[in-house]
Each structure stands twice: as C-alpha cells, then as structure tokens.
Amino acid sequence: RLSIGGDMLKRAFIPCTPLGSLLLLKDQVEDLKGKNAVVIGRSNIVGKPMSQLLIEESCTVTVVHSKTKDIEHVCSQADIIVAAIGRAEMIDSKWLKEGAVVIDVGINRIPVTKEDGSEGSKIVGDVDFLSASEKASKITPVPGGVGPMTIACLLRNTVTSAYRHAGLEDPRSI
C-alpha cells in the first residue's frame, strides 16, 4: 500500500519513524513539492518507507547507502537530508547544502570519558549535530528529535487499529 500510494496509502499502517519524520518535515518546510531529498540508508524499517513517503509528497528522491559513489557530493545537492545509516556522527557540514533541512534518525551509543575519569557512553545521531548546525536551516537533535515523533505515531497507529477492529470509522478520516 505504501508503494502504490494515493488512496491505498490512506489504508496503510505507515511505519512510525518515517511517518514521524515526514510530519516533522511537513511542519517545518512550507512546501515539499519539487524539493530534492536524499535518504541516507536503505533499510526496510526507515530508508525505503521514507523514500516512498517523500515521493508521495512530490519530492525528487535519491537513496544513498554504503556503496554509493561520491556520497558526500550527492548529499550536498539536497534540500532535505534524512539520515538513517547507523553510523555515529558520519554526516557533517561538508555533506550539506547551505540551508538544508536535516532529519537525523540515527541512534548510536558512543564511549565517553566522564569528568571524573570514569568510562561511560552517550547517544548521538548519524549527523554531527554541531558541525551540521552551521549549514542546516533546521536540524533534529538526537536524542529528543525523531524519537518522540516515533512514539506519537505508534500511538496513532494503535488507535487507528483499535477503531478498525471495532468496526468504527477510521479516526484519520474524521
């Protein structure tokens, strides 16, 4: 249903993280039509569904991955970047077009040394937030960006499922 789009998309349970990312984009970008979007990562959970959702919004979508030649150049042409590759802080300002909108889906745990000298870890995204913030017009933090949207969309899908199971009108159509 997601691949077919149109009316079929209205009946689909859209994966939560891509849906949350799309809702963030639609809230922050005035018009997605014609925007050049690059999805970094081709997973079945995020990358592929995200690309389908962006296509449905009339974006021009490129999916890049670990085997893409000159990945930095491809990304530097994008109005929108959705980073879902699973590599801590891989994307920095050199990858970005001035004013790009960046959605960081990555959740990576990296080791850190605490002030007291003990070892610990922290969670970071696929995007080097400080570096990318220099060029991005909008950027999601990790943690605290896409994660809460994922949870909200999970609840949305749960309520929709309950309505359908009870034979009630789909709450998204009300």
Side-chain angles (χ1 to χ4, degrees):
R1 289 181 177 163
L2 184 57
S3 295
I4 293 170
D7 288 338
M8 291 299 284
L9 188 57
K10 292 176 183 160
R11 296 287 304 158
F13 284 103
I14 300 169
C16 299
T17 299
L19 178 57
S21 298
L22 180 66
L23 292 173
L24 282 169
L25 282 169
K26 289 176 85 168
D27 182 66
Q28 294 297 310
V29 178
E30 191 170 315
D31 187 10
L32 293 174
K33 289 180 184 69
K35 297 285 188 211
N36 184 10
V38 172
V39 177
I40 307 172
R42 56 184 168 177
S43 72
N44 292 328
I45 296 170
V46 178
K48 290 176 184 176
M50 188 76 234
S51 65
Q52 290 297 135
L53 290 171
L54 290 167
I55 289 168
E56 189 69 21
E57 295 296 323
S58 299
C59 290
T60 301
V61 179
T62 303
V63 178
V64 298
H65 46 78
S66 61
K67 306 293 187 253
T68 300
K69 290 181 178 17
D70 204 5
I71 190 171
E72 286 182 42
H73 175 72
V74 175
C75 291
S76 72
Q77 306 303 304
D79 302 309
I80 298 166
I81 297 269
V82 179
I85 199 157
R87 291 193 187 160
E89 300 178 326
M90 179 177 160
I91 296 112
D92 63 22
S93 64
K94 293 179 289 205
W95 291 52
L96 303 180
K97 173 181 175 178
E98 190 70 42
V101 175
V102 179
I103 304 291
D104 189 350
V105 177
I107 299 177
N108 307 283
R109 189 172 294 278
I110 61 170
V112 295
T113 303
K114 298 179 183 178
E115 289 181 19
D116 64 4
S118 64
E119 296 296 316
S121 65
K122 71 175 185 174
I123 294 174
V124 298
D126 293 345
V127 178
D128 179 341
F129 186 85
L130 291 177
S131 173
S133 295
E134 296 170 7
K135 279 193 178 173
S137 63
K138 309 230 184 248
I139 184 169
T140 59
V142 174
V146 175
M149 292 300 294
T150 298
I151 294 165
C153 291
L154 177 60
L155 292 171
R156 178 182 189 240
N157 282 349
T158 302
V159 169
T160 299
S161 179
Y163 268 68
R164 288 180 186 174
H165 183 74
L168 300 172
E169 187 176 351
D170 193 323
R172 292 185 287 182
S173 66
I174 297 173

